[in-house]
């Protein structure tokens, strides 16, 4: 690999609070090593359509506390096609960008892997950026901590009103394929049950549980549902439960996009800064096709190959703990 002179940075897929801290970490560390930094706006779409902007030290001033991403993010169908990736490669070459840092989720890192399998001379480093915390090889992803705290705050508020009216609330949180937000927000708020895509057949158990709770005259019930649950979202599950529990006043609340926004937590700012720094250090060490992540709170490098192939699993012991604690 030749000496790197110019590095591109992009955010891709869903936005997540803390992405700006990572962009700042990448930019300032790259400048420290004497590299030029190019912000590739709108993710892979911007790579295909030349949305390149120069980033200087001051370009990333005052962004640590801001949610979202200053270089914007996007999903790009064109990048899924070989033709689109070819165009992206030609644009990177023309702009003399000789390395790229991708901040995004599972899909974005898959895109990086596919690109690197086709074009070998531009190293890519990945940074896990998604509120879902569902990326294999890292215990942390940017935005998860903030999103979790947002959910916890909202659920606490809903519990106040649920308790006052003896209501059964189904609260839907984000997580299309992964239930980490649901699981941990459920633990943090003492939810009576948590329904996640990773566990099948939970609705029957839920009905048993509600039956017992009803006899004990519980004043409120909060059920957290991950949006990707196999039984359907919160509305679908509430409908099936309503039929069997006509005496319950059943309500549904879908938290939606508030989970993505907001000022990033201190934890997200610090961790994202470390990942941004580590991504450039990895490039300086001639690494390529790896994601920087955390394992046992230490920074680690994980090959794209593993990140993409393997699925992060929910610990079954945690699910058992939820049952024990929510009696
Ligand atoms: P989030 O977890 O927040 O949804 P994500 O990175 O998983 O983020 P995706 O929409 O799955 O979000 O992927 C983002 C982009 O990555 C896609 O729009 C596409 O441009 C690119 N991408 C995803 N999968 C592939 C693939 N198999 N080949 C090429 N590009 C891909």
């Amino acid at each position: 690999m030749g000496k790197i002179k110019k590095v591109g940075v992009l955010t891709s897929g869903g936005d997540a609070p803390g992405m700006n801290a990572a962009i700042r970490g990448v930019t300032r560390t790259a400048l420290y090593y004497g590299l030029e930094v190019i912000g590739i706006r709108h993710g892979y779409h911007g790579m295909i359509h030349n949305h390149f902007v120069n980033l200087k030290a001051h370009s990333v001033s005052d962004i640590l506390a801001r949610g979202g991403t200053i270089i914007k993010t996007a999903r790009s169908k064109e990048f899924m096609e070989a033709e689109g990736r070819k165009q992206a490669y030609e644009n990177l070459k023309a702009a003399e960008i000789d390395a790229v840092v991708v901040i995004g989720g599972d899909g974005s890192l898959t895109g990086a892997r596919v690109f690197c399998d086709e074009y070998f001379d531009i190293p890519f480093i990945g940074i896990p950026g998604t509120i879902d915390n569902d990326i294999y090889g890292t215990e942390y992803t940017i935005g998860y901590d903030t999103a979790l705290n947002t959910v916890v705050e909202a659920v606490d508020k809903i519990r106040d009103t649920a308790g006052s009216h003896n209501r059964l609330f189904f609260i839907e949180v984000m997580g299309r394929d992964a239930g980490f937000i649901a699981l941990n927000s459920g633990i943090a708020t003492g939810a009576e049950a948590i329904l996640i895509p990773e566990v099948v057949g939970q609705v029957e158990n839920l009905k048993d549980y509600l039956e017992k709770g009803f006899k004990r005259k519980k004043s409120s019930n909060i059920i957290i549902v991950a949006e990707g649950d196999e039984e359907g979202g919160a509305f679908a599950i509430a409908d099936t439960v309503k039929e069997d529990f006509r005496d319950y006043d059943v309500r549904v609340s879908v938290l939606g996009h508030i989970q993505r926004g907001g000022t990033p937590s201190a934890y997200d700012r610090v961790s994202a800064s470390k990942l941004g720094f580590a991504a450039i250090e990895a490039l300086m060490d001639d690494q390529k096709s790896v994601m920087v992540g955390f394992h046992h709170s230490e920074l680690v490098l994980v090959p794209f190959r593993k990140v993409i192939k393997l699925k992060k699993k929910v610990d079954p012991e945690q699910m058992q703990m939820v049952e024990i604690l929510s009696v």
Side-chain angles (χ1 to χ4, degrees):
M1 222 185 301
K3 194 174 168 328
I4 294 164
K5 296 198 189 85
K6 205 188 267 189
V7 60
V9 57
L10 63 86
T11 46
S12 166
D15 63 311
M19 280 182 162
N20 283 330
I23 295 165
R24 176 176 173 274
V26 166
T27 303
R28 297 249 165 111
T29 310
L31 293 171
Y32 170 82
Y33 282 111
L35 311 183
E36 262 186 81
V37 186
I38 301 296
I40 302 171
R41 288 164 59 84
H42 310 111
Y44 293 125
H45 175 82
M47 209 186 248
I48 296 170
H49 297 279
N50 278 314
H51 297 182
F52 300 154
V53 291
N54 233 298
L55 294 180
K56 304 280 186 209
H58 66 82
S59 319
V60 291
S61 296
D62 244 347
I63 63 169
L64 274 174
R66 281 164 59 187
T69 155
I70 58 158
I71 51 174
K72 312 274 185 187
T73 185
R75 302 187 199 270
S76 166
K77 284 211 177 91
E78 283 173 288
F79 199 77
M80 311 279 282
E81 308 294 330
E83 193 56 34
R85 292 191 295 275
K86 181 164 174 279
Q87 185 62 55
Y89 176 75
E90 283 167 8
N91 293 348
L92 292 177
K93 284 307 239 188
E96 297 178 333
I97 294 171
D98 35 28
V100 175
V101 176
V102 172
I103 306 167
D106 209 27
S108 304
L109 300 178
T110 306
R113 161 113 211 254
V114 170
F115 184 93
C116 293
D117 282 350
E118 291 167 347
Y119 304 101
F120 308 113
D121 57 338
I122 303 181
F124 273 50
I125 303 288
I127 294 182
T130 166
I131 61 167
D132 294 334
N133 202 16
D134 59 346
I135 299 185
Y136 180 86
T138 182
E139 62 214 7
Y140 165 83
T141 63
I142 294 172
Y144 174 66
D145 186 64
T146 306
L148 190 56
N149 281 297
T150 301
V151 171
V152 167
E153 209 184 313
V155 174
D156 284 347
K157 288 178 178 163
I158 292 171
R159 191 185 279 287
D160 287 346
T161 169
S164 305
H165 292 276
N166 281 357
R167 277 179 179 152
L168 168 60
F169 257 95
F170 287 85
I171 304 175
E172 184 175 300
V173 302
M174 282 188 171
R176 265 174 304 164
D177 308 307
F180 295 101
I181 292 181
L183 177 60
N184 287 302
S185 64
I187 293 171
T189 56
E192 278 64 31
I194 302 166
L195 307 185
I196 57 175
E198 292 89 340
V199 183
V200 292
Q202 287 179 293
V203 169
E204 281 314 308
N205 292 345
L206 174 66
K207 286 181 181 170
D208 287 348
Y209 174 83
L210 289 174
E211 186 80 46
K212 287 181 205 141
F214 193 62
K215 284 183 190 140
R216 282 189 290 117
K217 298 199 171 7
K218 285 192 80 150
S219 68
S220 73
N221 275 296
I222 299 285
I223 316 294
I224 308 274
V225 184
E227 64 184 329
D229 189 81
E230 33 104 40
E231 313 268 359
F235 277 105
I237 295 173
D239 279 346
T240 55
V241 169
K242 252 188 227 167
E243 283 171 19
D244 295 345
F245 296 90
R246 294 193 185 277
D247 294 326
Y248 268 117
D249 184 5
V250 178
R251 298 296 161 108
V252 177
S253 184
V254 177
L255 297 188
H257 284 83
I258 60 161
Q259 295 165 87
R260 285 201 184 281
T263 184
S265 67
Y267 190 77
D268 270 327
R269 296 183 204 187
V270 173
S271 306
S273 298
K274 286 182 182 173
L275 291 173
F277 172 80
I280 296 297
E281 293 265 294
L283 274 178
M284 294 295 102
D285 289 341
D286 286 337
Q287 294 286 345
K288 61 190 288 196
S289 298
V290 292
M291 175 191 78
V292 289
F294 284 101
H295 182 62
H296 295 156
S297 305
E298 298 284 333
L299 283 161
V300 289
L301 299 179
V302 192
F304 283 163
R305 180 175 42 81
K306 279 196 179 171
V307 172
I308 278 116
K309 211 167 114 200
L310 301 169
K311 191 165 162 50
K312 191 172 186 175
K313 294 207 172 80
V314 166
D315 179 0
E317 263 188 32
Q318 277 207 356
M319 288 307 287
Q320 197 199 356
M321 182 185 88
V322 170
E323 273 181 43
I324 293 170
L325 299 188
S326 65
V327 190

